[in-house]
């Protein structure tokens, strides 16, 4: 299924394979007209994508970001659309998010080493692989070195909350993230929500915080899942959006940008909201000024 909108894609500015230019060219070639670049905790790809976008008449690039936030026992991803990459406060928040995970894992390893428990930070990163480093990876390294016999013992002895090697990580809740996006003039959209527990309660909270949309038409969701999420969105007064979450790394089965069942009616609704969005209006005014100057 082809759609003229895709509100969730990744480039080499995070863990995607295509450069921002290659991604924009691909999306435009697939008939995508409204395309959001949403790299993980980074807007580094936007400047290059904007230059590439100018070569495609009728194509609109929407600057965005996908932020990792935490709830008890799970990670929640939030898309922020129409955020200005030149916004200094936005950038300091993204820097904190990127640094948070690595800093904490490294801090725990340093504390352990200070206590004479000699595990290697490099090994912890290897164990984590593509996943973001967490305490379970540190625990596995401790098991490997024979300091404990099982992961749970590492938590009990050293790295659990209040343990001697525990380090607090800077966390952001989804609601704080939504508030931040809205304050900066952007539109907040909950990403790939199908597997989240207590979705209704979370949607209530995030709607109250100012979230406007949620992903319903997501790359590989079944028609049943799409329908369940569409109803949830409607019940909570949220716009149904969607994206391919294209990374370019999953082989031939990965849907290309725009190859999602996102209907035109959802795009129209998004554009109506964008027409009143402070961030989108500011961007339009800025590009008009630059156009007039050039
Ligand atoms: Zn995600
Ligand atoms: Zn993503």
């Amino acid at each position: 299924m082809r759609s003229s909108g895709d509100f969730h894609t990744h480039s080499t500015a995070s863990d995607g394979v295509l450069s921002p230019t290659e991604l924009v060219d691909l999306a435009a070639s697939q008939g995508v007209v409204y395309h959001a670049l949403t790299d993980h905790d980074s807007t580094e790809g936007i400047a290059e994508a904007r230059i590439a976008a100018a070569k495609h008449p009728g194509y609109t690039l929407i600057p965005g970001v996908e932020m990792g936030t935490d709830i008890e026992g799970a990670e929640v991803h939030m898309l922020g659309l129409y955020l200005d990459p030149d916004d200094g406060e936005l950038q300091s928040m993204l820097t904190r998010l990127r640094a948070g995970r690595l800093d904490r894992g490294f801090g725990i390893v340093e504390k352990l080493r200070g206590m004479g428990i000699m595990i290697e930070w490099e090994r912890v990163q290897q164990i984590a692989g593509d996943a973001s480093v967490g305490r379970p990876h540190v625990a596995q390294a401790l098991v490997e070195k024979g300091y404990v016999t099982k992961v749970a013992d590492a938590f009990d002895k050293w790295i659990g909350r209040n343990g001697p090697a525990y380090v607090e990580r800077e966390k952001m809740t989804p609601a704080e993230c939504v508030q931040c996006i809205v304050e900066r003039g952007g539109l907040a959209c909950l990403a790939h929500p199908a597997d989240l527990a207590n979705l209704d309660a979370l949607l209530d909270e995030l709607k109250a915080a100012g979230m406007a949309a949620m992903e319903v038409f997501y790359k590989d969701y079944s028609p049943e899942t799409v329908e369940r999420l569409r109803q949830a969105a409607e019940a909570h007064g949220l716009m149904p959006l969607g994206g391919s979450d294209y990374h370019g790394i999953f082989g031939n089965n990965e849907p290309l940008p725009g190859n999602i069942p996102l209907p035109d009616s959802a795009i129209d609704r998004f554009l109506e909201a964008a027409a009143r969005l402070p961030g989108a209006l500011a961007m339009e005014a800025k590009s008009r000024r630059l156009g007039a100057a050039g």
Side-chain angles (χ1 to χ4, degrees):
M1 192 139 11
R2 285 284 180 90
S3 171
S4 57
D6 191 330
F7 298 93
H8 187 169
T9 60
H10 296 273
S11 76
T12 46
S14 60
D15 55 355
V17 164
L18 300 186
S19 70
T21 302
E22 290 167 333
L23 179 69
V24 165
D25 289 350
L26 176 63
S29 78
Q30 291 294 305
V32 176
V33 177
Y34 301 99
H35 173 213
L37 175 60
T38 54
D39 276 304
H40 293 286
D41 301 328
S42 171
T43 58
E44 293 296 306
I46 303 290
E48 184 187 319
R50 278 180 163 152
I51 294 168
K55 296 184 310 223
H56 298 285
Y59 160 99
T60 301
L61 178 77
I62 297 159
V65 65
E66 179 174 23
M67 287 180 263
T69 72
D70 296 273
I71 52 172
E72 194 64 42
E75 212 174 283
V76 172
H77 289 183
M78 190 67 62
L79 300 170
L81 303 177
Y82 285 111
L83 292 172
D84 183 359
D86 295 332
D87 179 338
E89 273 187 52
L90 172 70
Q91 289 309 330
S92 62
M93 184 182 94
L94 295 176
T95 305
R96 280 203 309 278
L97 284 176
R98 287 195 297 265
R101 283 174 188 287
L102 282 175
D103 278 2
R104 181 205 207 185
F106 186 74
I108 289 175
V109 170
E110 288 292 286
K111 262 193 168 179
L112 286 166
R113 293 177 68 91
M115 294 159 59
I117 299 158
M118 306 310 270
I119 58 167
E120 310 294 331
W121 171 234
E122 287 70 27
R123 182 59 195 141
V124 172
Q125 287 180 298
Q126 277 170 10
I127 292 169
D130 287 339
S132 51
V133 174
R135 282 182 295 165
H137 307 122
V138 176
Q140 256 176 276
L142 287 164
V143 172
E144 269 184 11
K145 279 283 178 94
Y147 286 110
V148 283
T149 49
K150 53 185 202 292
V151 163
D153 293 346
F155 277 81
D156 289 344
K157 255 178 130 164
W158 293 301
I159 63 175
R161 190 173 281 276
N162 303 322
Y166 182 74
V167 175
E168 187 64 72
R169 173 160 75 84
E170 181 156 17
K171 279 190 182 176
M172 182 180 252
T173 68
E176 284 166 348
C177 184
V178 167
Q179 277 160 8
C180 180
I181 291 168
V182 172
E183 270 167 28
R184 321 228 66 73
L187 184 144
C189 172
L190 182 62
H192 42 73
D195 295 330
L196 292 172
N198 304 321
L199 183 61
D200 276 320
L202 183 66
L203 293 180
D204 276 338
E205 187 194 348
L206 299 182
K207 169 76 181 176
M211 188 172 80
M214 67 184 260
E215 270 191 319
V216 168
F217 307 96
Y218 182 72
K219 59 171 176 191
D220 51 7
Y221 283 173
S222 69
E224 294 74 30
T225 300
V226 166
E227 182 52 24
R228 171 172 70 85
L229 294 175
R230 198 191 58 73
Q231 287 179 16
E234 196 166 316
H236 290 84
L238 296 164
M239 280 186 284
L241 271 184
S244 61
D245 205 357
Y246 185 76
H247 284 74
I249 47 180
F250 304 120
N252 294 329
N253 292 329
E254 187 182 12
L256 291 169
N259 284 244
I260 45 168
L262 177 70
D264 284 348
S265 59
I267 299 173
D268 290 344
R269 215 169 139 189
F270 170 81
L271 293 174
E272 267 171 43
R276 296 187 303 272
L277 195 69
L281 291 169
M283 256 164 232
E284 206 178 289
K286 198 168 168 182
S287 70
R288 261 203 310 274
R289 273 200 312 279
L290 291 173

